[in-house]
Amino acid sequence: MSGVSAVVRPPSNNPPSSFRSGLFINNTPQSFIVPHGGFVTSCFLSATALHFSSTHASLNQPHTITLHLTFLRRTSVGPARFSIGDVKLGRRTSTVHVSLIQDNVECVVGYLTQSNLDTESGVSLKTGWSLHPPPLALSSTTQTLKREGGDENWVRSVGAHPGFRKASQRMKWWVPRKGQLEPGMADEWICWADGQRFTQSSLGVVVDQFPPVVEIYPGPASASSGHDRHREGIGERKRKKKPDWYPTIVLNLDVKKALPEEGVEWLFVRVRAKEIKNGRMDLEVVVLDEEGKLVAVSNHVCLILPSERNIERIGKRGQEGGGGSKL
């Protein structure tokens, strides 16, 4: 397996090969800061795109179609290096192994498969799939949402604990005005707060930027509904105004569509958990464009931890008890 070290420009206006404090989880001194997992994912997409536009330009495979990441250790503010190894190079698809390295330790590892979504051809069949329940319709337009802050069905949200989850403030969110449609599910319309447009590399941020389904869960209900004990332990923390942390262990991404080269301003996201149990949950994230066309599907495995676990000082990486582990 050949190895290439890539220095990439993250999907923002930050200097290359450096995680800065604009997209992170907490609001503590920099030695405690953990970059947002979606931002890290987008950096993997950017690094791989750079690899294929330079080292393998002749393959004409500019688009990541699948991504699988395992988050081994917490990343931190500062320089990061991406080591890329060619696993299989082919005419239609190619696969690489990518490692994110900080302080000479692997923090995140993944496999990404490249292709060309603009030239793909082959069997295409309608499946009848759709989101259920159907998302609430826009009673206006996305531009009206931005101009007036909402419409009959959608309202602007700043998200929970914005001081802790500062990365969420890089986007503007609109959520159902009367609350989410079902427990364990969240719908949103999103756009960048600074007017940027969503591109292929920013899909990593998109699929990891949504209202935490645990915190928007409905309040205790009757035993017949089955939800009366759904917030054991978390309810007390909520009363004390303590946020929780939802570190991703594994993130998968299946890209269905190439966004326009100039990007798009708006995307719709639905996130849904099938089971939340014993401090662990799965998440399925579906991304649609303004026309309702499927852009990407992502699946996560996450833990539910007190926020204190996020802001513990990170010791020497790789040493037991040193805090080098992501969790």
Side-chain angles (χ1 to χ4, degrees):
M1 182 185 298
S2 62
V4 177
S5 294
V7 175
V8 302
R9 182 174 299 277
S12 68
N13 295 323
N14 295 330
S17 70
S18 179
F19 293 152
R20 301 292 293 276
S21 59
L23 277 163
F24 56 82
I25 302 299
N26 55 58
N27 197 24
T28 53
Q30 286 207 353
S31 60
F32 292 66
I33 290 171
V34 178
H36 185 263
F39 176 66
V40 173
T41 302
S42 280
C43 287
F44 269 80
L45 294 171
S46 295
T48 304
L50 176 61
H51 182 60
F52 277 86
S53 67
S54 54
T55 306
H56 299 306
S58 62
L59 293 175
N60 190 26
Q61 295 172 348
H63 304 121
T64 297
I65 58 172
T66 67
L67 169 149
H68 172 89
L69 297 184
T70 298
F71 293 81
L72 304 174
R73 300 172 179 87
R74 288 185 289 188
T75 55
S76 59
V77 167
R81 179 167 59 90
F82 289 85
S83 177
I84 302 179
D86 298 330
V87 178
K88 174 257 183 184
L89 301 177
R91 287 179 294 180
R92 177 159 181 172
T93 65
S94 297
T95 301
V96 294
H97 177 272
V98 185
S99 299
L100 189 162
I101 300 169
Q102 287 191 301
D103 299 330
N104 296 317
V105 174
E106 283 187 317
C107 297
V108 187
V109 295
Y111 283 91
L112 292 84
T113 298
Q114 294 290 116
S115 187
N116 191 320
L117 291 170
D118 295 328
T119 61
E120 272 191 328
S121 63
V123 175
S124 299
L125 300 171
K126 292 185 177 181
T127 64
W129 173 87
S130 62
L131 290 177
H132 182 78
L136 295 174
L138 287 171
S139 61
S140 56
T141 66
T142 51
Q143 295 306 316
T144 301
L145 291 186
K146 179 183 289 188
R147 184 175 62 253
E148 299 182 7
D151 65 12
E152 182 180 342
N153 292 327
W154 297 87
V155 64
R156 174 79 189 279
S157 172
V158 296
H161 306 291
F164 176 69
R165 302 187 180 104
K166 192 170 181 180
S168 66
Q169 303 310 299
R170 296 293 297 272
M171 288 189 185
K172 293 182 178 180
W173 308 17
W174 283 260
V175 299
R177 182 177 290 275
K178 296 181 180 179
Q180 299 293 345
L181 302 182
E182 288 188 1
M185 188 184 84
D187 286 350
E188 63 178 356
W189 282 98
I190 56 173
C191 67
W192 285 109
D194 61 3
Q196 292 187 69
R197 299 174 73 85
F198 295 114
T199 62
Q200 218 66 18
S201 64
S202 59
L203 287 177
V205 176
V206 170
V207 300
D208 199 22
Q209 189 69 264
F210 39 77
V213 295
V214 172
E215 295 178 13
I216 60 174
Y217 228 77
S222 64
S224 62
S225 72
H227 298 310
D228 57 322
R229 291 186 299 274
H230 65 278
R231 293 298 301 271
E232 291 181 8
I234 294 178
E236 180 63 25
R237 292 181 58 78
K238 187 174 182 180
R239 283 190 290 274
K240 294 179 179 179
K241 298 183 179 180
K242 291 185 177 181
D244 286 291
W245 178 38
Y246 311 102
T248 301
I249 303 173
V250 172
L251 187 152
N252 292 293
L253 176 64
D254 176 5
V255 180
K256 302 293 190 180
K257 176 185 176 182
L259 297 174
E261 188 173 342
E262 68 276 14
V264 297
E265 185 178 4
W266 292 86
L267 288 171
F268 172 86
V269 178
R270 168 171 289 182
V271 57
R272 190 166 201 164
K274 298 178 179 65
E275 184 173 72
I276 304 172
K277 185 177 180 181
N278 296 329
R280 181 164 59 90
M281 62 180 171
D282 60 273
L283 294 173
E284 180 188 56
V285 184
V286 177
V287 182
L288 308 179
D289 63 15
E290 282 194 81
E291 298 176 354
K293 294 181 179 179
L294 186 61
V295 174
V297 178
S298 180
N299 287 277
H300 306 208
V301 177
C302 305
L303 299 181
I304 305 171
L305 298 174
S307 58
E308 292 85 348
R309 293 287 299 275
N310 176 278
I311 61 178
E312 290 173 350
R313 184 176 297 276
I314 301 175
K316 188 174 181 180
R317 295 184 188 275
Q319 289 190 359
E320 185 176 355
S325 170
K326 181 179 190 294
L327 307 178

